[in-house]
């Protein structure tokens, strides 16, 4: 099965040797997104809500570049440096996703690239 590399200028450039996403068949694997502004490649200013929203916006941009939407996400992984932000992530997730929600994991981690407080990656499945 051939791999198709997905890229968009509407999301941050990869900060290492990886692609923003890779499509294999109808499945698209979205790399982890941290709250980087795609234009400046710096962390967004603001509170945790601003960071979470930027991550969802980045994931949405990559999903669209792959021909999908966040509604096509079947698995979402969330990494937080402080699990006390879990309720906020739940609240904001409802602004980006509708039922049926994707499968999900939320994982507490010691640190993330560039000092981010949140990172998310996803898997989506595209229809015909």
């Amino acid at each position: 099965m051939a791999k198709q590399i997905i890229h968009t200028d509407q999301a941050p450039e990869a900060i290492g040797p990886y692609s923003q996403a890779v499509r294999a068949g109808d499945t698209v694997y979205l790399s982890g997104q941290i709250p980087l502004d795609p234009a400046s490649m710096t962390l967004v200013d603001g509170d945790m809500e601003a960071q979470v929203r930027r991550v969802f916006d980045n994931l949405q941009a990559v999903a669209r570049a792959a021909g999908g939407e966040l509604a096509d996400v079947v698995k979402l992984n969330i990494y937080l440096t402080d699990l006390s932000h879990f309720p906020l992530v739940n609240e904001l997730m409802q602004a980006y996703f509708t039922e049926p929600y994707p499968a999900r994991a939320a994982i507490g981690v010691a640190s993330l690239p560039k000092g981010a407080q949140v990172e998310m990656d996803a898997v989506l499945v595209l229809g015909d």
Side-chain angles (χ1 to χ4, degrees), residues 41-105:
M41 290 298 292
T42 60
L43 289 176
V44 295
D45 291 329
D47 59 7
M48 187 61 177
E49 180 175 342
Q51 287 199 29
V52 173
R53 286 186 185 280
R54 181 75 257 171
V55 171
F56 280 131
D57 290 344
N58 290 344
L59 286 174
Q60 186 171 50
V62 178
R64 287 181 175 162
E69 295 287 339
L70 289 181
D72 299 309
V73 171
V74 296
K75 178 69 163 94
L76 180 68
N77 294 312
I78 302 167
Y79 308 93
L80 295 164
T81 59
D82 183 346
L83 286 174
S84 72
H85 295 297
F86 188 67
L88 174 65
V89 172
N90 281 338
E91 177 185 328
L92 295 174
M93 188 173 166
Q94 292 180 52
Y96 289 86
F97 293 86
T98 58
E99 291 188 46
Y101 297 117
R104 187 180 80 173

Side-chain angles (χ1 to χ4, degrees), residues 16-41:
Y18 61 90
S19 301
Q20 289 174 328
V22 176
R23 181 175 179 168
D26 290 339
T27 305
V28 183
Y29 301 90
L30 282 65
S31 292
Q33 289 288 333
I34 60 175
L36 289 177
D37 176 278
S40 67
M41 290 298 292

